[in-house]
Amino acid sequence: MVQVNNITMRFGSQILFEDVSLKLDSAKRYGLIGANGAGKSTFLKILSGELEPNSGNVSINSALKVGVLGQNQFAYENFSIKDAVLCGNKRLYDAVREKEKLYESGDFSDESVNNRLADLEIICAEEDPTYEYEVIIEKILESLGFAALRHNDLMQSLTSAEKFKVLLAQVLFPKPDILFLDEPTNNLDIDAISWLEEQLNRHSGTIVVISHDRHFLNSVVTDILDIDFRKIREFSGNYDDWYIASTLIQKQLEMEHDRKLKEKEELEGFIRRFSANASKAKQATSRQRQLEKLNINELQTSSRRDPSILFRLKRDIGNEVLSIDNLSFSYGDKEVLKDIGFKVEKGDKIALIGANGIGKSTLCKLLMHELFPKEGKIFWGATIEPSYFPQDTTDIIKGDMELFEWLQQFDDKKDLDEIRKCLGRMLFSGEEQKKSIKSISGGEKHRMMLSKMMLEKGNFLILDEPNNHLDLEAIIALGEALYKFDGVVICVTHDRELIDAFANRIIRIKDDGMIEDFKGDYEQYKSLRG
């Protein structure tokens, strides 16, 4: 299906990968993984033809349809939602719209008009043999949370998250033979991600997908393409299979390297002792030849780095933690939360879930007094010291300060050594700690916010989609840290693997603004819901 021949890609002196050759087969779904900055999106752009490599080429049969998940959310502002999806099949879209225009204003006494209509009907029949494109589009949009009444709304009326969903619907609609998907689970809630998993598992062609959602990768992919060591290595199986295999390979390489170093040391010792001894000269010469043949390559350093996230409490939690009574909130005439009430106990690790735009972030802001309820009350226990990770860090992480200075401003009494160690835990080492806040990436900002929370040592953590912009290694480390944390957690996330790692209670905000409160893990909750 896709043939990759001797691809090399570099930016300046930085080599992302070199001399890569792969054959991507039909009916296989490849998960493209690697550390942030390893070149995942770059490689996907090379595969789709959007970017030219420094050397090598990609070959795809011209008869095959290729679908690429669009990233420009503003490309269809003046289109209706359903027309934006129909544009996924440009030939069909153009034929349908031209046909409609001719039927509205065409001169049917003109033979050329009738001939053109006949040609357009043929195109429509070729692209949509069952004449079901409208039904198919409606089903996809409704599965992604767009009610039928909204399908004629203009794209410009949608939120960024909703526009991304339409772009996803657009690339899935024509059922291309080859799908290239860069972070398709972004902006999707848990139900939509489950729907996408089902759609991709039904796909009969080739898929290459980038995702930081471990559960999604385990559910969808049949093979892994791992960008590391300036190479792209192929592994059979899902993400967990790759992790076991790659760990074993690395361990074997380390053992072989250690064995050769030991052998080298023994040979050199023998040669030193007996090279001047006439009776042992022959053996010494033999050992010298062995030493010359001994090929000891340097162990390559992986581009992956695992952060060490550790949340400590500076104050124990008392008996009273948090009570929410009859809480309601509206944005203008739109009621978001309705008569919410629940009590948080010591030891609770709560996953706050629900559809996008349903009010999860609103509830977090209410708890942190960034918003104030229309009705109801929030009671915090006297011993509680909350620490907050907002969804949008733009207004918090800004300025010209260096990284350690930005952290120091929140507590000028904090020991500088502790700050530097904390930054090191989040992979900001040495000179990196002197970087300017304004120059760091989205993923680095999230690591800075986690650094801030570790230094605060709050006993009640409120995190609003902290896994956004984090790579798989950081998300796994975050899940372990939340699980080991001795305090209380409320975390908004759509990442199933993260939820499974820490949550012992599920609170779901429903479409009517009320909540569903389940004490147990997500697997038990899912089983209960059927």
Side-chain angles (χ1 to χ4, degrees):
M1 296 286 276
V2 181
Q3 184 70 49
V4 178
N5 303 303
N6 306 115
I7 292 289
T8 295
M9 192 67 190
R10 65 174 66 88
F11 291 104
S13 60
Q14 182 191 11
I15 299 175
L16 293 180
F17 36 82
E18 58 184 344
D19 198 27
V20 171
S21 294
L22 296 165
K23 183 171 179 276
L24 307 182
D25 296 324
S26 177
K28 285 189 176 181
R29 301 182 293 275
Y30 297 89
L32 182 58
I33 64 171
N36 282 347
K40 300 185 294 295
S41 293
T42 298
F43 185 63
L44 204 62
K45 288 176 181 177
I46 291 172
L47 290 179
S48 66
E50 185 181 341
L51 196 63
E52 283 289 325
N54 294 115
S55 62
N57 62 81
V58 175
S59 175
I60 299 176
N61 189 325
S62 59
L64 299 176
K65 287 184 180 179
V66 177
V68 182
L69 178 59
Q71 299 296 322
N72 183 1
Q73 298 173 4
F74 305 101
Y76 300 91
E77 292 293 87
N78 296 316
F79 285 69
S80 69
I81 295 174
K82 68 179 184 181
D83 278 355
V85 177
L86 182 58
C87 282
N89 186 332
K90 189 67 166 52
R91 187 169 183 248
L92 178 60
Y93 172 82
D94 289 341
V96 167
R97 292 296 161 254
E98 186 180 350
K99 190 172 67 169
E100 287 177 352
K101 189 175 180 181
L102 287 174
Y103 276 123
E104 287 175 8
S105 58
D107 180 2
F108 298 110
S109 63
D110 185 340
E111 188 176 350
S112 64
V113 170
N114 292 313
N115 288 339
R116 182 55 183 162
L117 281 170
D119 291 340
L120 293 171
E121 287 291 351
I122 292 172
I123 292 172
C124 289
E126 289 174 347
E127 297 297 326
D128 182 34
T130 58
Y131 292 91
E132 289 183 315
Y133 79 85
E134 288 185 297
V135 174
I136 294 170
I137 289 173
E138 286 171 4
K139 285 182 178 179
I140 293 174
L141 287 173
E142 286 174 7
S143 297
L144 288 169
F146 294 97
L149 290 172
R150 301 184 65 194
H151 294 181
N152 287 311
D153 291 352
L154 290 179
M155 287 286 288
Q156 61 187 249
S157 69
L158 305 184
T159 65
S160 293
E162 288 175 326
K163 287 174 183 176
F164 184 83
K165 285 184 178 182
V166 175
L167 293 180
L168 183 59
Q170 183 188 80
V171 74
L172 294 176
F173 159 65
K175 296 182 179 179
D177 302 294
I178 300 169
L179 267 173
F180 297 131
L181 306 173
D182 192 348
E183 294 286 0
T185 59
N186 278 359
N187 303 303
L188 299 186
D189 56 44
I190 289 178
D191 290 338
I193 292 172
S194 295
W195 172 84
L196 178 60
E197 289 171 358
E198 186 179 331
Q199 298 301 307
L200 297 184
N201 280 322
R202 290 177 180 174
H203 191 270
S204 58
T206 302
I207 297 174
V208 182
V209 59
I210 298 171
S211 179
H212 291 154
D213 187 323
R214 181 175 167 186
H215 185 275
F216 173 80
L217 289 173
N218 281 332
S219 299
V220 169
V221 306
T222 60
D223 296 79
I224 291 289
L225 301 177
D226 177 28
I227 303 182
D228 204 0
F229 309 110
R230 298 180 177 180
K231 296 291 181 184
I232 301 180
R233 299 182 297 175
E234 183 177 350
F235 293 81
S236 180
N238 60 20
Y239 180 85
D240 285 349
D241 296 326
W242 162 82
Y243 184 81
I244 293 168
S246 63
T247 302
L248 179 61
I249 289 170
Q250 188 61 27
K251 185 61 69 177
Q252 288 172 337
L253 288 172
E254 290 171 2
M255 290 173 64
E256 178 66 10
H257 186 260
D258 291 344
R259 184 191 66 77
K260 286 185 176 180
L261 285 176
K262 186 178 180 182
E263 184 180 351
K264 177 176 181 285
E265 186 180 335
E266 290 173 350
L267 289 170
E268 288 174 336
F270 186 92
I271 293 166
R272 277 196 307 271
R273 288 195 305 275
F274 300 112
S275 58
N277 187 327
S279 64
K280 297 283 187 179
K282 190 173 181 180
Q283 292 96 320
T285 303
S286 174
R287 297 293 197 282
Q288 182 64 45
R289 290 197 194 99
Q290 285 181 254
L291 183 61
E292 289 168 357
K293 290 179 181 178
L294 192 61
N295 184 20
I296 305 177
N297 294 319
E298 285 294 321
L299 278 175
Q300 290 181 294
T301 303
S302 171
S303 58
R304 286 184 172 84
R305 295 187 294 165
D306 295 334
S308 176
I309 304 174
L310 180 62
F311 297 117
R312 294 191 179 99
L313 296 74
K314 65 181 176 184
R315 184 176 186 179
D316 290 334
I317 295 177
N319 293 326
E320 297 292 327
V321 180
L322 173 66
S323 294
I324 297 174
D325 295 335
N326 306 115
L327 192 71
S328 295
F329 184 83
S330 301
Y331 289 105
D333 295 331
K334 183 183 178 183
E335 189 172 48
V336 180
L337 303 174
K338 182 180 178 182
D339 196 26
I340 286 179
F342 62 92
K343 189 174 183 180
V344 178
E345 307 283 353
K346 289 173 69 172
D348 278 348
K349 305 283 181 70
I350 299 169
L352 183 60
I353 66 173
N356 286 330
I358 206 72
K360 302 182 296 296
S361 295
T362 298
L363 180 55
C364 291
K365 290 176 181 177
L366 286 165
L367 294 177
M368 295 305 299
H369 305 301
E370 291 187 3
L371 295 173
F372 298 94
K374 176 184 172 184
E375 295 176 4
K377 292 185 179 180
I378 298 170
F379 299 95
W380 284 100
T383 62
I384 302 304
E385 296 178 349
S387 186
Y388 179 43
F389 189 122
Q391 186 178 125
D392 185 2
T393 59
T394 305
D395 293 333
I396 300 173
I397 303 180
K398 61 181 181 180
D400 296 322
M401 290 175 283
E402 295 179 359
L403 301 191
F404 73 91
E405 291 175 327
W406 183 83
L407 287 173
Q408 197 173 30
Q409 70 175 324
F410 296 101
D411 184 355
D412 56 12
K413 296 179 182 177
K414 188 71 69 176
D415 181 54
L416 185 58
D417 185 57
E418 186 180 359
I419 292 175
R420 291 195 181 282
K421 284 180 180 177
C422 188
L423 284 170
R425 282 182 171 275
M426 294 312 300
L427 309 180
F428 296 107
S429 56
E431 289 299 311
E432 285 187 311
Q433 297 186 3
K434 296 182 179 180
K435 289 168 68 172
S436 173
I437 277 290
K438 66 181 180 183
S439 69
I440 62 177
S441 67
E444 289 173 321
K445 285 184 178 181
H446 273 49
R447 286 193 273 132
M448 283 298 294
M449 187 56 67
L450 290 170
S451 298
K452 177 177 178 288
M453 294 183 78
M454 285 193 286
L455 287 168
E456 286 172 340
K457 298 181 180 177
N459 53 22
F460 193 124
L461 306 183
I462 299 175
L463 306 101
D464 191 356
E465 300 210 35
N467 51 292
N468 286 352
H469 305 295
L470 296 181
D471 58 23
L472 276 158
E473 288 72 31
I475 294 171
I476 292 168
L478 176 60
E480 291 175 353
L482 294 178
Y483 174 75
K484 293 176 182 177
F485 179 55
D486 290 329
V488 176
V489 175
I490 292 180
C491 180
V492 177
T493 182
H494 301 303
D495 189 305
R496 274 286 310 279
E497 203 72 28
L498 180 56
I499 292 172
D500 288 342
F502 79 90
N504 58 23
R505 183 174 175 184
I506 309 297
I507 294 180
R508 174 174 168 259
I509 301 179
K510 300 187 293 184
D511 293 342
D512 60 6
M514 302 181 78
I515 66 166
E516 184 178 6
D517 189 355
F518 177 78
K519 294 188 178 181
D521 61 34
Y522 188 81
E523 285 301 320
Q524 293 169 326
Y525 169 71
K526 187 180 174 185
S527 176
L528 184 70
R529 288 184 72 199

